[in-house]
Amino acid sequence: MHREKPELIFFHTGNEHKLDEASQVMSELQIKIRSLKDISSSISVVEPQGENCAQIAHSKIMQVLDSVEDELNGNWLMVEDSGLFIDALGGFPGVYSSYVHSTVGNEGIVKLLEESKDKSARYISSISFWDGERIHSVQGHCKGRISLESRGDSGFGYDPIFIPEAGDDRTFSEMTLLEKTALSHRTMALKMMVEKLNFPSM
Ligand code: IMP
């Protein structure tokens, strides 16, 4: 499939960090990312339940499109759902990552893993996007492990306790935005989005 490269993609998210990461990655391709809030302040989305991030992202974009398709003026739209999946905990917190982070936080996760030898985990990012005609879905992963010591100040969520496998011994929170986006699940998903559409100019 070939598509003209879009100049602008609206991102429906309330998370400024996700917006910064997506903007950083897509700026390399001269694609601007703007918050959907810039054109529509009153989108009501019921947080969907789903078995995995892909289902949740898909259900979210359907709801968002229902309320803003006319305001998009043909521009693209993306939504993202992500989570941390810890092997020794059978994939927990997974699709409950946001809730678990706001309740027991990183300390709670560290306590659950203290006695476990296996600290392996992965982040998953599922993006559903609308290209003005159709919805597409892509997914990116980032393998790593959980650090029992919380380190660093940047990033968000579980970043102070997540050490990416492809990095050195630092957590995501000890990295710059550029270093995190070189390795992150969100970047992998954004790259899949670009590849999937096979823009002729790239
Ligand atoms: P969402 O907004 O429903 O996609 O929530 C995803 C949750 O997973 C966030 O609130 C974080 O707790 C966690 N999460 C997803 N991606 C990241 C990341 O890049 N860094 C840190 N935490 C993340």
Side-chain angles (χ1 to χ4, degrees):
M1 184 197 308
H2 283 275
R3 284 271 186 287
E4 285 304 317
K5 185 172 78 171
E7 281 174 20
L8 172 67
I9 301 178
F10 285 103
F11 188 1
H12 172 66
T13 179
N15 183 326
E16 293 296 322
H17 295 276
K18 287 187 180 184
L19 208 54
D20 286 349
E21 290 180 20
S23 299
Q24 157 68 39
V25 174
M26 299 307 270
S27 70
E28 287 168 25
L29 305 170
Q30 286 81 45
I31 297 174
K32 272 203 193 103
I33 298 288
R34 272 179 66 190
S35 170
L36 187 62
K37 279 189 257 169
D38 292 355
I39 56 162
S40 189
S41 54
S42 59
I43 311 148
S44 70
V45 175
V46 180
E47 190 64 29
Q49 300 294 308
E51 278 173 23
N52 53 52
C53 295
Q55 270 184 12
I56 296 172
H58 189 263
S59 148
K60 245 189 236 176
I61 203 166
M62 301 281 280
Q63 290 189 57
V64 178
L65 268 179
D66 253 3
S67 58
V68 299
E69 192 178 341
D70 293 344
E71 294 165 72
L72 286 174
N73 282 325
N75 281 304
W76 289 34
L77 167 72
M78 61 175 264
V79 306
E80 192 247 22
D81 194 82
S82 47
L84 176 71
F85 295 73
I86 299 175
D87 294 337
L89 305 179
F92 182 83
V95 292
Y96 308 108
S97 291
S98 180
Y99 177 71
V100 170
H101 193 265
S102 63
T103 50
V104 301
N106 292 343
E107 277 180 26
I109 292 293
V110 164
K111 273 201 191 119
L112 286 174
L113 278 185
E114 261 166 4
E115 303 299 324
S116 169
K117 259 194 192 162
D118 180 8
K119 306 276 193 295
S120 60
R122 75 183 58 214
Y123 275 129
I124 293 181
S125 161
S126 288
I127 294 178
S128 284
F129 62 100
W130 168 252
D131 65 2
E133 287 175 17
R134 289 183 48 196
I135 293 172
H136 308 262
S137 298
V138 289
Q139 187 156 287
H141 299 245
C142 176
K143 277 194 194 171
R145 65 179 203 276
I146 302 298
S147 158
L148 293 186
E149 181 195 6
S150 174
R151 292 190 260 121
D153 308 310
S154 60
F156 68 101
Y158 300 99
D159 283 347
I161 57 165
F162 185 84
I163 301 173
E165 188 177 276
D168 39 37
D169 207 37
R170 286 176 300 161
T171 66
F172 263 159
S173 280
E174 294 179 294
M175 297 183 180
T176 62
L177 178 65
L178 210 62
E179 286 171 325
K180 179 181 174 187
T181 54
L183 306 175
S184 93
H185 47 310
R186 196 156 294 110
T187 302
M188 299 312 143
L190 289 163
K191 286 191 170 159
M192 298 276 292
M193 169 168 110
V194 168
E195 273 169 29
K196 184 161 186 171
L197 293 176
N198 192 16
F199 303 128
S201 54
M202 298 168 91

